[in-house]
Amino acid sequence: MRRPTLNDVAKAAGVSYATADRVLNNRGSVSEKSRKRVQQAIADLGYVRDQQAANLSRRRQFHFRFILPIGNHSFFQALHAAVAEEAPVQRGDRVNLSIVGTPALDADAQVAALDAVGDDCDCVAVVATRTERVTAAIRALDARGIGVITLVSDAAPEARRAYVGIDNRTAGRTAGRLMEIAHGPRGGLVLPIVGVLQASDHRDRLDGLHDALAGTLPAIEILPAISVQDRADLMRDMLPRALAARPDISGIYSIGAGNRGLLEVLAHHRGPRPFTIVHELTPVTREGLSGGLFDAVIDQKPAQEVRRAIEVMKAIATGTAWRDPARDITPAIYVKENMPLEGGSPTAH
Amino acid sequence: MRRPTLNDVAKAAGVSYATADRVLNNRGSVSEKSRKRVQQAIADLGYVRDQQAANLSRRRQFHFRFILPIGNHSFFQALHAAVAEEAPVQRGDRVNLSIVGTPALDADAQVAALDAVGDDCDCVAVVATRTERVTAAIRALDARGIGVITLVSDAAPEARRAYVGIDNRTAGRTAGRLMEIAHGPRGGLVLPIVGVLQASDHRDRLDGLHDALAGTLPAIEILPAISVQDRADLMRDMLPRALAARPDISGIYSIGAGNRGLLEVLAHHRGPRPFTIVHELTPVTREGLSGGLFDAVIDQKPAQEVRRAIEVMKAIATGTAWRDPARDITPAIYVKENMPLEGGSPTAH
DNA sequence: GAGAGGTTGATAGACGTCAATCAATTTTTG
DNA sequence: CAAAAATTGATTGACGTCTATCAACCTCTC
């Protein structure tokens, strides 16, 4: 009934504990014969190393660092909160999380944060911009034996060990598909709103939108994107003019932040309301959904991403295999009805 | 740098290890003064019990049993596969999973499986039908000190410790919202297809659909549901007649299984294709999405549910708090574009 | 057949916690 | 104030693995 220990394996193989250990952790020298017998015994008994005892004995502590943008975007705040919420839980499992904030979009700050990572750190997760310097800093860390994964935005695909986050082009295509569904057999005109077009994730989403709507018949046209710098005030300023200029706008795809402004503009909008898709489930976008001013939210589920990132980092640190995060991290679609409950604290018992 | 141990706490509190231990695990008798000082020291040092060492010492093994329906539905197979896939991973963490299959919808078999659970089992997850007998069996297990959670279908809400799965009424409402989006300013006629209406989850989804479409203007009407017993052959048989009887059907909501048949019927359907929503991401529904015959899939992400279930069971077994699963388990909406990649094996390195 | 090198067995002390025991001390009670 | 009860300290042996050391053995080679 009890699960087999390495001692059981050794007995079954007819060798000493020491030899079984040498095979398991391949150290020392072992004859081919003994190796075979031990491996056979492991297979026969279905032995699985007790990770917890192993970690204890190795006095293995994991130290993972998250380098996250700071800013007043709710999304970054949610990401930050997700990491902070995991920290105490993970501590009980010998995993220590630390967070360093950098100003959003500031590559130099990101590089500095990467360079500042100490040698006691096992793995780093960074939300970075795609820059030569950042790539170099990631490579430098890797050379020091510290794996780096990218989070949310896949900067430095050549240097990072893994990327945990959605594919933004896919997200844009998804938005396009929803637009198409909403337009049905009619044509239409979609206004994309970005933060800055230089941001690769915004560009990717926009490209995805174009992918999805290319060749729809009757045509759903896409206006040139307006850029509001992720700021609600600019949204309040620029969007009404865009809407006035083209009263036939039938869809809005808000690619970045500043959705508080979008919400207000839509609330005062006269005439048929454009079908509106926004990104990230935040207090504002929740409000938009439940109030019926936003129709769909495309979300990347930051809490889930953080948990996934920790899993991958553990795998990297222990040298075990991991599942490709791209497999299960896809943009989620929320409408009013399937929006998850907010917050919620642990249920006692 | 090193994280504090209980020994450090004891020293800081100026008491012996034994006393600190008595406070931590509240056993034995401790004076109020000592208790205060130890708790203060715990807070000061930020001590967190090392779960892994604790489990090791307690020689704590968890045994969790999954009682799952067997059947040729891809969804059940996916659920089964998800548990099987987690098993070896969890073993390394002292968690042993076992699976027992029961014929779908067979309450007696479920009761038998519940009754057969041994005392070495710490917690049970069951996909059960809602029946008095099942509820009684769950209560009996609980009385023996074995917690039971329900999975996928919330049978026995009064007796189970937790429910891990989507709210089916919410799922139905979500489908209704998508129908509304797809119909835009036009009215329409939706045909719901259920397995058996007696199944409470199917009934809930249908109710949800009615919730969401009640009062739409212009009206989206809902036909009486046809029942295909979750069988593709009945689907092939009954659906074409239903479609022929009402050529103005503009939407199909397939609530249960048998979608292979639906796919074939739609492939041969003449005239404008109804907007089609199905449940569960399976090989068939994937095929339907990518081929453009299905428009949306509502999925409950069985793999994620299984992981969540294990987390909750661990919490129940250790007596710690858990987050309400309802918080993050909501029906997912997939369209062609955001459908996750299938399968995928671990990535080495 | 002596020495070198490869292989094996036995053993021991961590790691942090649990669970238990026993003696010593303090506090409470009658 | 003595006896009883409550509290405390000190210690010990698990749990399963890691890591290291040392002696013993085997198989070559020169």
Side-chain angles (χ1 to χ4, degrees), chain A residues 3 46 50-52 61 91-94 170 174 177 185-186 307 321-323 327 331 337-338 340 343-344 347 349, chain B residues 3 46 50-52 61 91-94 170 174 177 186 307 321-323 327 331 337-338 340 343-344 346-347 349:
Chain A
R3 51 182 276 177
D50 184 329
Q51 274 305 337
Q52 316 203 12
Q61 293 266 20
R91 276 202 77 183
D93 284 338
R94 315 181 76 76
T170 297
T174 304
R177 164 61 50 139
R186 295 153 298 147
R307 281 193 290 264
W322 68 83
R323 274 195 311 255
R327 178 183 164 188
E337 282 72 16
N338 73 332
T347 308
H349 198 93
Chain B
R3 52 183 276 178
D50 184 330
Q51 275 304 335
Q52 316 204 12
Q61 293 269 22
R91 275 202 77 185
D93 284 338
R94 315 180 77 80
T170 297
T174 304
R177 164 61 50 138
R186 295 153 297 151
R307 282 193 289 265
W322 69 83
R323 274 196 310 256
R327 177 184 164 191
E337 282 72 15
N338 74 330
T347 307
H349 196 98

Short mmCIF file of all heavy atoms in Angstrom, two decimals, chain A residues 3 46 50-52 61 91-94 170 174 177 185-186 307 321-323 327 331 337-338 340 343-344 347 349, chain B residues 3 46 50-52 61 91-94 170 174 177 186 307 321-323 327 331 337-338 340 343-344 346-347 349:
data_model
loop_
_atom_site.label_atom_id
_atom_site.label_comp_id
_atom_site.label_asym_id
_atom_site.label_seq_id
_atom_site.Cartn_x
_atom_site.Cartn_y
_atom_site.Cartn_z
N ARG A 3 3.76 3.71 -0.78
CA ARG A 3 4.47 3.85 -2.05
C ARG A 3 5.94 3.51 -1.84
O ARG A 3 6.51 3.75 -0.77
CB ARG A 3 4.30 5.23 -2.65
CG ARG A 3 4.59 6.36 -1.70
CD ARG A 3 4.35 7.69 -2.38
NE ARG A 3 5.50 8.10 -3.15
CZ ARG A 3 5.53 9.21 -3.88
NH1 ARG A 3 4.46 9.96 -3.95
NH2 ARG A 3 6.60 9.55 -4.54
N GLY A 46 7.18 0.90 -9.99
CA GLY A 46 6.53 2.18 -10.27
C GLY A 46 7.02 3.26 -9.33
O GLY A 46 6.27 4.10 -8.87
N ASP A 50 10.14 11.09 -4.43
CA ASP A 50 9.36 12.01 -3.61
C ASP A 50 9.98 13.40 -3.69
O ASP A 50 10.98 13.69 -3.04
CB ASP A 50 9.33 11.51 -2.17
CG ASP A 50 8.43 12.37 -1.29
OD1 ASP A 50 8.31 13.57 -1.57
OD2 ASP A 50 7.86 11.84 -0.34
N GLN A 51 9.36 14.24 -4.49
CA GLN A 51 9.93 15.56 -4.74
C GLN A 51 10.06 16.37 -3.45
O GLN A 51 11.00 17.13 -3.27
CB GLN A 51 9.05 16.34 -5.72
CG GLN A 51 9.35 16.07 -7.19
CD GLN A 51 10.80 16.33 -7.53
OE1 GLN A 51 11.51 17.08 -6.85
NE2 GLN A 51 11.28 15.67 -8.58
N GLN A 52 9.10 16.21 -2.59
CA GLN A 52 9.09 17.06 -1.41
C GLN A 52 10.26 16.70 -0.50
O GLN A 52 10.97 17.57 0.00
CB GLN A 52 7.77 16.90 -0.69
CG GLN A 52 6.61 16.91 -1.67
CD GLN A 52 5.31 17.33 -1.04
OE1 GLN A 52 5.26 17.81 0.08
NE2 GLN A 52 4.24 17.16 -1.77
N GLN A 61 15.47 25.87 -2.26
CA GLN A 61 14.51 26.97 -2.23
C GLN A 61 14.47 27.55 -3.62
O GLN A 61 15.51 27.72 -4.25
CB GLN A 61 15.00 28.09 -1.29
CG GLN A 61 15.03 27.69 0.14
CD GLN A 61 13.75 28.08 0.84
OE1 GLN A 61 12.72 28.30 0.21
NE2 GLN A 61 13.82 28.15 2.15
N ARG A 91 4.96 30.21 -0.88
CA ARG A 91 6.00 30.14 0.15
C ARG A 91 5.98 28.82 0.89
O ARG A 91 7.01 28.26 1.22
CB ARG A 91 5.84 31.28 1.16
CG ARG A 91 6.47 32.55 0.69
CD ARG A 91 6.75 33.43 1.88
NE ARG A 91 7.93 33.00 2.62
CZ ARG A 91 8.34 33.58 3.72
NH1 ARG A 91 7.65 34.58 4.22
NH2 ARG A 91 9.43 33.16 4.33
N GLY A 92 4.79 28.34 1.15
CA GLY A 92 4.67 27.06 1.83
C GLY A 92 5.24 25.92 1.01
O GLY A 92 5.54 24.86 1.53
N ASP A 93 5.40 26.14 -0.28
CA ASP A 93 5.99 25.12 -1.14
C ASP A 93 7.43 25.46 -1.52
O ASP A 93 7.90 25.06 -2.58
CB ASP A 93 5.14 24.95 -2.40
CG ASP A 93 3.87 24.17 -2.10
OD1 ASP A 93 3.87 23.44 -1.10
OD2 ASP A 93 2.91 24.29 -2.87
N ARG A 94 8.09 26.20 -0.66
CA ARG A 94 9.50 26.51 -0.87
C ARG A 94 9.75 27.34 -2.12
O ARG A 94 10.81 27.24 -2.74
CB ARG A 94 10.34 25.24 -0.94
CG ARG A 94 10.02 24.22 0.14
CD ARG A 94 10.88 23.00 0.03
NE ARG A 94 12.22 23.23 0.51
CZ ARG A 94 12.54 23.29 1.80
NH1 ARG A 94 11.61 23.14 2.71
NH2 ARG A 94 13.76 23.51 2.18
N THR A 170 -3.59 36.36 -32.59
CA THR A 170 -4.77 35.53 -32.39
C THR A 170 -5.88 36.32 -31.71
O THR A 170 -7.06 36.20 -32.06
CB THR A 170 -4.40 34.31 -31.53
OG1 THR A 170 -3.45 33.53 -32.23
CG2 THR A 170 -5.62 33.47 -31.21
N THR A 174 -9.52 37.01 -33.17
CA THR A 174 -10.72 36.65 -32.42
C THR A 174 -11.69 37.83 -32.39
O THR A 174 -12.90 37.66 -32.61
CB THR A 174 -10.33 36.25 -30.98
OG1 THR A 174 -9.39 35.19 -31.06
CG2 THR A 174 -11.54 35.81 -30.19
N ARG A 177 -13.36 38.03 -35.67
CA ARG A 177 -14.43 37.04 -35.84
C ARG A 177 -15.71 37.49 -35.14
O ARG A 177 -16.81 37.37 -35.66
CB ARG A 177 -13.94 35.70 -35.29
CG ARG A 177 -15.02 34.68 -35.03
CD ARG A 177 -15.77 34.32 -36.29
NE ARG A 177 -14.86 33.98 -37.35
CZ ARG A 177 -15.02 32.98 -38.20
NH1 ARG A 177 -16.09 32.22 -38.09
NH2 ARG A 177 -14.14 32.75 -39.15
N PRO A 185 -25.08 39.37 -41.99
CA PRO A 185 -25.01 39.49 -43.45
C PRO A 185 -24.80 40.92 -43.92
O PRO A 185 -24.75 41.17 -45.12
CB PRO A 185 -26.38 38.96 -43.90
CG PRO A 185 -27.29 39.23 -42.76
CD PRO A 185 -26.45 39.20 -41.52
N ARG A 186 -24.68 41.85 -42.96
CA ARG A 186 -24.50 43.25 -43.38
C ARG A 186 -23.03 43.61 -43.41
O ARG A 186 -22.22 43.00 -42.72
CB ARG A 186 -25.21 44.17 -42.38
CG ARG A 186 -26.71 44.01 -42.35
CD ARG A 186 -27.21 44.39 -40.99
NE ARG A 186 -26.65 43.51 -39.98
CZ ARG A 186 -26.37 43.86 -38.75
NH1 ARG A 186 -26.56 45.08 -38.35
NH2 ARG A 186 -25.87 43.00 -37.90
N ARG A 307 0.06 31.83 -12.56
CA ARG A 307 0.21 30.46 -12.05
C ARG A 307 0.96 29.58 -13.05
O ARG A 307 1.84 28.80 -12.69
CB ARG A 307 -1.17 29.85 -11.75
CG ARG A 307 -1.76 30.33 -10.44
CD ARG A 307 -2.95 29.48 -10.02
NE ARG A 307 -4.10 29.73 -10.89
CZ ARG A 307 -5.07 30.58 -10.60
NH1 ARG A 307 -5.03 31.25 -9.47
NH2 ARG A 307 -6.08 30.74 -11.41
N ALA A 321 10.62 18.65 -17.72
CA ALA A 321 9.93 19.08 -18.93
C ALA A 321 8.68 19.87 -18.57
O ALA A 321 8.11 19.70 -17.51
CB ALA A 321 9.55 17.87 -19.77
N TRP A 322 8.27 20.73 -19.48
CA TRP A 322 7.03 21.45 -19.23
C TRP A 322 6.20 21.45 -20.51
O TRP A 322 6.71 21.28 -21.60
CB TRP A 322 7.29 22.87 -18.75
CG TRP A 322 7.91 23.78 -19.78
CD1 TRP A 322 7.25 24.48 -20.76
CD2 TRP A 322 9.30 24.11 -19.93
NE1 TRP A 322 8.14 25.20 -21.49
CE2 TRP A 322 9.41 25.01 -21.02
CE3 TRP A 322 10.44 23.73 -19.24
CZ2 TRP A 322 10.63 25.52 -21.44
CZ3 TRP A 322 11.66 24.25 -19.68
CH2 TRP A 322 11.75 25.14 -20.76
N ARG A 323 4.92 21.60 -20.29
CA ARG A 323 4.03 21.71 -21.44
C ARG A 323 4.16 23.08 -22.06
O ARG A 323 4.31 24.08 -21.36
CB ARG A 323 2.58 21.53 -20.99
CG ARG A 323 2.11 20.11 -20.91
CD ARG A 323 0.59 20.11 -20.81
NE ARG A 323 0.13 21.05 -19.79
CZ ARG A 323 -0.32 20.68 -18.61
NH1 ARG A 323 -0.35 19.42 -18.30
NH2 ARG A 323 -0.73 21.58 -17.75
N ARG A 327 -0.24 26.08 -25.53
CA ARG A 327 -1.29 25.09 -25.71
C ARG A 327 -2.60 25.51 -25.03
O ARG A 327 -3.66 25.38 -25.60
CB ARG A 327 -0.83 23.77 -25.10
CG ARG A 327 -1.86 22.69 -25.17
CD ARG A 327 -1.33 21.45 -24.49
NE ARG A 327 -2.42 20.53 -24.21
CZ ARG A 327 -2.30 19.45 -23.48
NH1 ARG A 327 -1.13 19.15 -22.97
NH2 ARG A 327 -3.31 18.66 -23.27
N PRO A 331 -6.70 33.64 -25.76
CA PRO A 331 -7.53 34.75 -25.30
C PRO A 331 -8.93 34.27 -24.97
O PRO A 331 -9.53 33.51 -25.72
CB PRO A 331 -7.52 35.71 -26.49
CG PRO A 331 -7.00 34.95 -27.65
CD PRO A 331 -6.16 33.85 -27.10
N GLU A 337 -22.75 37.56 -19.82
CA GLU A 337 -23.25 36.41 -19.09
C GLU A 337 -22.17 35.51 -18.49
O GLU A 337 -22.38 34.91 -17.44
CB GLU A 337 -24.14 35.57 -20.03
CG GLU A 337 -25.52 36.14 -20.22
CD GLU A 337 -25.53 37.40 -21.07
OE1 GLU A 337 -24.52 37.67 -21.76
OE2 GLU A 337 -26.54 38.12 -21.05
N ASN A 338 -21.05 35.37 -19.16
CA ASN A 338 -20.06 34.42 -18.63
C ASN A 338 -18.88 35.10 -17.95
O ASN A 338 -17.84 34.49 -17.73
CB ASN A 338 -19.56 33.47 -19.74
CG ASN A 338 -18.62 34.15 -20.71
OD1 ASN A 338 -18.73 35.36 -20.91
ND2 ASN A 338 -17.74 33.40 -21.32
N PRO A 340 -16.62 36.14 -15.14
CA PRO A 340 -16.43 35.53 -13.83
C PRO A 340 -16.67 36.52 -12.70
O PRO A 340 -16.55 37.73 -12.90
CB PRO A 340 -14.96 35.08 -13.84
CG PRO A 340 -14.31 35.88 -14.91
CD PRO A 340 -15.36 36.27 -15.89
N GLY A 343 -13.04 39.23 -7.63
CA GLY A 343 -12.42 39.04 -6.32
C GLY A 343 -12.81 37.73 -5.67
O GLY A 343 -12.66 36.68 -6.23
N GLY A 344 -13.29 37.83 -4.46
CA GLY A 344 -13.69 36.62 -3.75
C GLY A 344 -12.54 36.12 -2.91
O GLY A 344 -11.47 35.85 -3.42
N THR A 347 -12.72 30.62 0.94
CA THR A 347 -13.84 30.13 1.72
C THR A 347 -13.28 29.33 2.88
O THR A 347 -12.50 28.41 2.66
CB THR A 347 -14.71 29.19 0.88
OG1 THR A 347 -15.02 29.85 -0.33
CG2 THR A 347 -15.96 28.82 1.62
N HIS A 349 -13.23 26.53 5.22
CA HIS A 349 -13.73 25.17 5.27
C HIS A 349 -14.79 24.81 4.27
O HIS A 349 -15.47 25.46 3.65
CB HIS A 349 -14.27 24.84 6.66
CG HIS A 349 -14.37 23.36 6.86
ND1 HIS A 349 -13.36 22.63 7.44
CD2 HIS A 349 -15.31 22.48 6.49
CE1 HIS A 349 -13.72 21.38 7.45
NE2 HIS A 349 -14.89 21.24 6.86
N ARG B 3 14.94 31.12 5.07
CA ARG B 3 13.63 31.37 5.67
C ARG B 3 13.58 30.77 7.07
O ARG B 3 14.21 29.75 7.35
CB ARG B 3 12.51 30.82 4.79
CG ARG B 3 12.69 29.38 4.39
CD ARG B 3 11.58 28.95 3.47
NE ARG B 3 10.41 28.54 4.24
CZ ARG B 3 9.28 28.16 3.68
NH1 ARG B 3 9.18 28.17 2.38
NH2 ARG B 3 8.28 27.77 4.42
N GLY B 46 7.65 36.35 9.96
CA GLY B 46 6.98 35.93 8.73
C GLY B 46 7.12 34.44 8.51
O GLY B 46 7.29 33.97 7.40
N ASP B 50 6.71 24.91 6.57
CA ASP B 50 7.16 24.23 5.36
C ASP B 50 6.27 23.00 5.13
O ASP B 50 6.42 21.97 5.77
CB ASP B 50 8.61 23.80 5.52
CG ASP B 50 9.15 23.16 4.25
OD1 ASP B 50 8.37 22.56 3.50
OD2 ASP B 50 10.36 23.28 4.01
N GLN B 51 5.35 23.17 4.21
CA GLN B 51 4.37 22.11 3.97
C GLN B 51 5.01 20.80 3.57
O GLN B 51 4.56 19.72 3.93
CB GLN B 51 3.40 22.52 2.86
CG GLN B 51 2.23 23.35 3.32
CD GLN B 51 1.44 22.69 4.42
OE1 GLN B 51 1.44 21.46 4.56
NE2 GLN B 51 0.77 23.48 5.24
N GLN B 52 6.07 20.91 2.82
CA GLN B 52 6.67 19.69 2.29
C GLN B 52 7.30 18.88 3.41
O GLN B 52 7.12 17.66 3.50
CB GLN B 52 7.69 20.06 1.22
CG GLN B 52 7.14 21.13 0.30
CD GLN B 52 7.80 21.13 -1.05
OE1 GLN B 52 8.52 20.22 -1.42
NE2 GLN B 52 7.55 22.17 -1.81
N GLN B 61 0.05 10.91 2.86
CA GLN B 61 -0.23 10.60 1.47
C GLN B 61 -1.66 10.99 1.23
O GLN B 61 -2.52 10.70 2.05
CB GLN B 61 -0.10 9.09 1.22
CG GLN B 61 1.28 8.55 1.36
CD GLN B 61 1.99 8.58 0.03
OE1 GLN B 61 1.62 9.33 -0.86
NE2 GLN B 61 2.99 7.75 -0.09
N ARG B 91 1.71 12.38 -8.32
CA ARG B 91 2.35 11.36 -7.49
C ARG B 91 3.62 11.89 -6.85
O ARG B 91 3.93 11.57 -5.71
CB ARG B 91 2.68 10.13 -8.32
CG ARG B 91 1.53 9.18 -8.44
CD ARG B 91 2.01 7.80 -8.77
NE ARG B 91 2.57 7.13 -7.62
CZ ARG B 91 3.16 5.95 -7.66
NH1 ARG B 91 3.26 5.32 -8.82
NH2 ARG B 91 3.63 5.38 -6.58
N GLY B 92 4.36 12.67 -7.62
CA GLY B 92 5.58 13.24 -7.08
C GLY B 92 5.30 14.18 -5.91
O GLY B 92 6.18 14.47 -5.12
N ASP B 93 4.07 14.62 -5.80
CA ASP B 93 3.70 15.51 -4.70
C ASP B 93 2.86 14.78 -3.65
O ASP B 93 2.05 15.39 -2.97
CB ASP B 93 2.94 16.72 -5.23
CG ASP B 93 3.88 17.71 -5.89
OD1 ASP B 93 5.08 17.68 -5.58
OD2 ASP B 93 3.42 18.51 -6.72
N ARG B 94 3.06 13.48 -3.57
CA ARG B 94 2.38 12.69 -2.55
C ARG B 94 0.87 12.67 -2.71
O ARG B 94 0.14 12.52 -1.74
CB ARG B 94 2.73 13.19 -1.14
CG ARG B 94 4.20 13.46 -0.93
CD ARG B 94 4.48 13.95 0.47
NE ARG B 94 4.45 12.84 1.41
CZ ARG B 94 5.45 11.99 1.58
NH1 ARG B 94 6.54 12.10 0.87
NH2 ARG B 94 5.35 11.01 2.42
N THR B 170 -25.78 29.54 -16.54
CA THR B 170 -24.92 30.58 -17.09
C THR B 170 -24.47 30.21 -18.50
O THR B 170 -24.41 31.06 -19.40
CB THR B 170 -23.69 30.77 -16.18
OG1 THR B 170 -24.12 31.21 -14.92
CG2 THR B 170 -22.72 31.77 -16.78
N THR B 174 -25.13 32.31 -21.81
CA THR B 174 -24.04 32.74 -22.68
C THR B 174 -24.35 32.40 -24.13
O THR B 174 -24.15 33.21 -25.04
CB THR B 174 -22.74 32.05 -22.23
OG1 THR B 174 -22.51 32.35 -20.87
CG2 THR B 174 -21.57 32.52 -23.07
N ARG B 177 -26.78 34.85 -25.40
CA ARG B 177 -26.17 36.13 -25.76
C ARG B 177 -25.48 36.06 -27.12
O ARG B 177 -25.61 36.97 -27.95
CB ARG B 177 -25.17 36.53 -24.66
CG ARG B 177 -24.19 37.61 -25.02
CD ARG B 177 -24.88 38.91 -25.37
NE ARG B 177 -25.85 39.28 -24.34
CZ ARG B 177 -26.02 40.49 -23.89
NH1 ARG B 177 -25.28 41.48 -24.37
NH2 ARG B 177 -26.93 40.74 -22.96
N ARG B 186 -32.02 41.69 -36.42
CA ARG B 186 -33.09 40.87 -37.00
C ARG B 186 -33.65 39.93 -35.95
O ARG B 186 -32.98 39.56 -35.00
CB ARG B 186 -32.53 40.03 -38.15
CG ARG B 186 -32.04 40.87 -39.33
CD ARG B 186 -30.96 40.10 -40.05
NE ARG B 186 -29.83 39.91 -39.16
CZ ARG B 186 -29.00 38.88 -39.22
NH1 ARG B 186 -29.20 37.93 -40.09
NH2 ARG B 186 -27.99 38.78 -38.39
N ARG B 307 -7.66 19.99 -12.48
CA ARG B 307 -6.60 20.58 -11.64
C ARG B 307 -7.20 21.34 -10.47
O ARG B 307 -6.74 21.24 -9.34
CB ARG B 307 -5.72 21.51 -12.48
CG ARG B 307 -4.73 20.75 -13.35
CD ARG B 307 -3.67 21.69 -13.91
NE ARG B 307 -4.21 22.57 -14.93
CZ ARG B 307 -4.16 22.32 -16.23
NH1 ARG B 307 -3.59 21.23 -16.67
NH2 ARG B 307 -4.66 23.17 -17.10
N ALA B 321 -8.20 26.57 3.90
CA ALA B 321 -9.25 27.28 3.18
C ALA B 321 -9.03 27.16 1.68
O ALA B 321 -7.91 26.99 1.21
CB ALA B 321 -9.27 28.74 3.59
N TRP B 322 -10.10 27.26 0.94
CA TRP B 322 -9.94 27.26 -0.52
C TRP B 322 -10.80 28.37 -1.12
O TRP B 322 -11.76 28.82 -0.54
CB TRP B 322 -10.28 25.90 -1.11
CG TRP B 322 -11.72 25.52 -1.04
CD1 TRP B 322 -12.72 25.89 -1.91
CD2 TRP B 322 -12.35 24.70 -0.04
NE1 TRP B 322 -13.90 25.34 -1.50
CE2 TRP B 322 -13.72 24.61 -0.37
CE3 TRP B 322 -11.89 24.03 1.08
CZ2 TRP B 322 -14.63 23.88 0.38
CZ3 TRP B 322 -12.80 23.31 1.83
CH2 TRP B 322 -14.14 23.24 1.49
N ARG B 323 -10.36 28.75 -2.29
CA ARG B 323 -11.14 29.75 -3.02
C ARG B 323 -12.36 29.08 -3.62
O ARG B 323 -12.30 27.95 -4.07
CB ARG B 323 -10.31 30.34 -4.15
CG ARG B 323 -9.44 31.47 -3.77
CD ARG B 323 -9.01 32.19 -5.04
NE ARG B 323 -8.50 31.21 -6.01
CZ ARG B 323 -7.22 31.04 -6.28
NH1 ARG B 323 -6.33 31.74 -5.67
NH2 ARG B 323 -6.84 30.15 -7.17
N ARG B 327 -15.65 31.10 -8.65
CA ARG B 327 -15.06 32.38 -8.98
C ARG B 327 -14.36 32.37 -10.35
O ARG B 327 -14.50 33.29 -11.13
CB ARG B 327 -14.02 32.74 -7.92
CG ARG B 327 -13.30 34.02 -8.19
CD ARG B 327 -12.25 34.24 -7.13
NE ARG B 327 -11.30 35.25 -7.56
CZ ARG B 327 -10.17 35.50 -6.95
NH1 ARG B 327 -9.87 34.84 -5.85
NH2 ARG B 327 -9.36 36.43 -7.38
N PRO B 331 -17.98 29.24 -18.15
CA PRO B 331 -17.94 28.64 -19.48
C PRO B 331 -17.07 29.48 -20.42
O PRO B 331 -17.18 30.70 -20.45
CB PRO B 331 -19.40 28.63 -19.92
CG PRO B 331 -20.13 29.52 -18.98
CD PRO B 331 -19.35 29.55 -17.72
N GLU B 337 -10.99 31.20 -34.16
CA GLU B 337 -9.70 31.84 -34.01
C GLU B 337 -9.03 31.60 -32.66
O GLU B 337 -7.80 31.54 -32.59
CB GLU B 337 -9.85 33.35 -34.24
CG GLU B 337 -9.96 33.74 -35.70
CD GLU B 337 -11.29 33.35 -36.33
OE1 GLU B 337 -12.24 33.03 -35.59
OE2 GLU B 337 -11.38 33.33 -37.57
N ASN B 338 -9.78 31.51 -31.61
CA ASN B 338 -9.12 31.39 -30.30
C ASN B 338 -9.17 29.98 -29.73
O ASN B 338 -8.93 29.77 -28.55
CB ASN B 338 -9.71 32.39 -29.31
CG ASN B 338 -11.09 31.99 -28.81
OD1 ASN B 338 -11.83 31.33 -29.53
ND2 ASN B 338 -11.44 32.40 -27.61
N PRO B 340 -7.88 26.63 -28.59
CA PRO B 340 -6.52 26.25 -28.20
C PRO B 340 -6.01 25.08 -29.03
O PRO B 340 -6.80 24.30 -29.57
CB PRO B 340 -6.67 25.85 -26.74
CG PRO B 340 -8.10 25.55 -26.54
CD PRO B 340 -8.87 26.33 -27.55
N GLY B 343 -3.97 18.72 -27.84
CA GLY B 343 -2.94 17.83 -27.28
C GLY B 343 -1.65 18.56 -26.99
O GLY B 343 -1.62 19.52 -26.25
N GLY B 344 -0.57 18.08 -27.51
CA GLY B 344 0.71 18.71 -27.23
C GLY B 344 1.37 18.04 -26.05
O GLY B 344 0.81 17.95 -24.97
N PRO B 346 4.77 17.34 -23.40
CA PRO B 346 5.72 18.20 -22.70
C PRO B 346 6.91 18.56 -23.59
O PRO B 346 7.37 17.76 -24.39
CB PRO B 346 6.16 17.32 -21.53
CG PRO B 346 5.05 16.37 -21.33
CD PRO B 346 4.47 16.12 -22.68
N THR B 347 7.35 19.77 -23.43
CA THR B 347 8.51 20.23 -24.16
C THR B 347 9.75 19.89 -23.35
O THR B 347 9.84 20.26 -22.19
CB THR B 347 8.46 21.76 -24.33
OG1 THR B 347 7.21 22.09 -24.88
CG2 THR B 347 9.57 22.24 -25.24
N HIS B 349 13.29 20.41 -22.02
CA HIS B 349 14.11 21.59 -21.77
C HIS B 349 13.41 22.91 -21.99
O HIS B 349 12.33 23.17 -21.99
CB HIS B 349 15.33 21.60 -22.67
CG HIS B 349 16.38 22.57 -22.19
ND1 HIS B 349 17.45 22.15 -21.44
CD2 HIS B 349 16.50 23.89 -22.32
CE1 HIS B 349 18.19 23.19 -21.16
NE2 HIS B 349 17.62 24.26 -21.66
#
